[in-house]
């Protein structure tokens, strides 16, 4: 079996740390040996389904120990994992099922009803025993006790994660087993992770940042403490009771924990065991950093910038976080970053250009999306005026990120904007087109609709919807309808009625969003 796969990490951890606690969730915990046994039982069952190699298997469930078992079980087969965040509505799940042809879904009792709404005709596997015709982990743990052996190729596809692309429909990015190992290795290196660390599993396991916490824990034989963020009080208890030392967050999580001010936060000495905080998935403000520093006084704060097409590009060293809080930092190990202008020349100091990612951690590409791949995955030849390509024997792929940035005099990078008009909110990318399409399809009273983002320090961007109609519609009525079709993070925070919307001069069928943004910003 390849050394460049998560299965190899799991087997190695069991050989040396079988009795060590691998996972903690509330009052429950399991050792590496127990985790390995459960993973083998579920993987054995999955292989008995006798599905073709590279069959896509989805996980659509709430967080818990069994969800991690499911992730590792799929990665112990030659199938491909497709995480489906629990926040997706049934019709969004149905889109992803059809897009990558999912043949099996692993779920829990709460999400089973949502799957039944979409008439999924593939295999269904539930954590709990629910009905005779649906197999469960509980039954598998009782009856599947045969030895399980597998042979995983590190170059094979491992995961397809879905985010929202420029066309408004989700685009799946394909990640190999080798990608997963490389990302665990580099994060463990620059964060100085150790065997005795307790890593918080606060993030949802739908994208690479969240999933990476599982793999880093395996890589270092650390403990992963799972948590579902509901209330700040519960979150702080999680940090204290689980003795968390490494805390991966998104900026929206920082806003949530400090939203009621500092008066309800426990004494800072209760968090002195916390040594590392990481943040990715959005811009970090100076206030967020200050709040974290005041509460988690021994913790180094790492601000990071990742891509859809590659695991990560930059991180800001903790020594620089308070000096230049707006910076996204410098390249992570094994990555070269360049800022180029429209002519392909390297940009000067403080000149804005497109960020080009060269080197490690580049993913395989978008699933069944040749146009998207052509837009983002480019020949290294686009850097011919920046680096010396003499003697290159084979072509090399780099990522044209679509992120527009600039460098300061010391080489630190600063994010300016996206090439497209994606909205970045609460750590998620939201396509205005998808929200507008749902409005057009389901609220016929609305004549025209424009959805866009406006800067909001707490959540990075607030989703704004401006619409025209013969008469004003209740905002509650609009939100009620949108919630039937969209994930919660995609619901507009502000809904504004206008009798008519400004149009683009060159295209009278297109709403002038820039004019609307200027008007709202000015007011």
């Amino acid at each position: 079996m390849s050394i460049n796969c998560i299965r190899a990490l799991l087997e190695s951890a069991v050989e040396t740390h079988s009795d060590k606690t691998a996972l903690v969730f509330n009052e429950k915990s399991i050792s590496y040996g127990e985790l390995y046994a459960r993973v083998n039982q579920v993987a054995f069952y999955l292989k008995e389904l006798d599905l073709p190699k590279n069959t896509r298997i989805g996980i659509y469930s709430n967080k818990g120990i069994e969800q991690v078992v499911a992730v590792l079980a799929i990665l112990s087969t030659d199938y491909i994992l497709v995480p489906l965040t629990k926040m997706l509505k049934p019709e969004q799940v149905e889109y992803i099922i059809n897009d990558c042809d999912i043949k099996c879904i692993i779920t829990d009792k709460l999400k089973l009803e949502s799957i039944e709404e979409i008439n999924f005709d593939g295999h269904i596997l539930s954590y709990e025993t629910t009905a005779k015709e649906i197999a469960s982990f509980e039954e598998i743990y009782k009856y599947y006790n045969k030895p399980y052996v597998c042979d995983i190729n590190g170059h094979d596809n491992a995961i397809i994660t879905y985010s929202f692309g420029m066309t408004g429909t989700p685009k799946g990015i394909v990640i190999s087993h080798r990608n997963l190992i490389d990302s665990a290795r580099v994060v463990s290196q620059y964060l100085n992770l150790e065997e005795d660390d307790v890593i918080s599993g606060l993030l949802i396991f739908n994208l690479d940042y969240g999933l990476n916490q599982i793999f880093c824990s395996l890589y270092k034989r650390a403990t992963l403490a799972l948590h579902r963020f509901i209330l700040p009080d519960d979150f702080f208890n999680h940090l204290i009771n689980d003795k968390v030392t490494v805390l991966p967050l998104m900026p929206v999580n920082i806003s949530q924990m400090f939203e009621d001010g500092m008066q309800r936060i426990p004494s800072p000495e209760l968090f002195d065991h916390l040594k590392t905080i990481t943040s990715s998935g959005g811009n970090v403000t100076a206030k967020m950093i200050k709040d974290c520093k005041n509460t988690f006084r021994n913790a180094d704060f790492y601000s990071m910038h990742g891509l859809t097409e590659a695991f990560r590009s930059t991180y800001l060293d903790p020594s620089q976080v308070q000096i230049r809080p707006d910076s996204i930092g410098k390249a992570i190990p094994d990555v070269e970053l360049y800022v180029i202008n429209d002519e392909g020349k390297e940009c000067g100091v403080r000149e804005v250009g497109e960020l080009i990612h060269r080197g490690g951690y580049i993913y395989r590409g978008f699933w069944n999306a040749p146009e998207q791949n052509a837009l983002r995955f480019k020949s290294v030849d686009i850097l011919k005026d920046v680096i010396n390509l003499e003697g290159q024997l084979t072509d090399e792929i780099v990522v044209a990120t679509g992120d527009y940035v600039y460098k300061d005099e010391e080489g630190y990078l600063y994010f300016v904007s996206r090439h497209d008009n994606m909205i970045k909110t609460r750590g998620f990318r939201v396509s205005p087109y998808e929200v507008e399409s749902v409005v057009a399809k389901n609220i016929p009273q609305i004549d025209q609709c424009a959805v866009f983002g406006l800067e909001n320090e707490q959540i990075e961007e607030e989703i704004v919807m401006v619409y025209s109609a013969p008469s004003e519609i209740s905002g509650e009525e609009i939100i009620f309808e949108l919630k039937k079709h969209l994930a919660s993070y995609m619901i507009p925070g502000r809904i504004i009625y206008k009798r008519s919307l400004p149009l683009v001069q060159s295209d009278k069928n297109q709403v002038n969003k820039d004019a609307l943004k200027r008007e709202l910003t000015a007011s």
Side-chain angles (χ1 to χ4, degrees), residues 189-203:
Q189 174 187 335
Y190 72 73
L191 293 184
N192 300 308
L193 300 183
E194 302 291 345
E195 180 182 311
D196 58 358
D197 277 324
V198 177
I199 300 174
S200 172
L202 165 71
L203 302 175

Side-chain angles (χ1 to χ4, degrees), residues 237-279:
N237 287 336
H238 156 62
L239 298 184
I240 296 168
N241 296 337
D242 293 330
K243 296 181 173 58
V244 170
T245 62
V246 180
L247 177 59
L249 297 168
M250 294 191 297
V252 65
N253 302 134
I254 303 175
S255 298
Q256 288 172 333
M257 72 173 85
F258 296 117
E259 64 186 355
D260 293 331
M262 307 297 286
Q263 61 275 11
R264 297 179 60 188
I265 298 173
S267 300
E269 60 265 20
L270 295 174
F271 304 111
D272 282 351
H273 47 76
L274 184 64
K275 70 173 192 179
T276 302
I277 298 173
T278 68
S279 177

Side-chain angles (χ1 to χ4, degrees), residues 309-374:
E309 302 83 2
F311 172 66
R312 189 159 295 148
S313 284
T314 72
Y315 79 96
L316 184 62
D317 188 89
S319 65
Q320 300 296 315
V321 166
Q322 290 181 294
I323 298 172
R324 51 187 104 234
D326 296 333
S327 173
I328 60 173
K330 294 184 178 182
I332 68 172
D334 299 333
V335 167
E336 297 174 14
L337 297 176
Y338 301 93
V339 184
I340 64 172
N341 59 25
D342 291 342
E343 289 73 45
K345 307 292 185 181
E346 186 164 21
C347 291
V349 171
R350 300 191 179 274
E351 178 187 356
V352 175
E354 185 175 13
L355 183 70
I356 308 297
H357 176 117
R358 183 192 188 198
Y361 323 114
I362 295 176
Y363 292 151
R364 306 297 287 271
F366 290 97
W367 181 264
N368 286 340
E371 293 181 3
Q372 193 88 350
N373 285 326

Side-chain angles (χ1 to χ4, degrees), residues 10-11 13-23 30-41 218:
L10 179 59
E11 291 186 357
V14 170
E15 288 177 8
T16 59
H17 294 71
S18 180
D19 295 331
K20 185 180 179 186
T21 300
L23 294 173
I30 62 171
S31 68
Y32 272 100
E34 292 167 328
L35 175 63
Y36 182 65
R38 293 189 190 184
V39 167
N40 284 348
Q41 289 172 298
L218 286 175

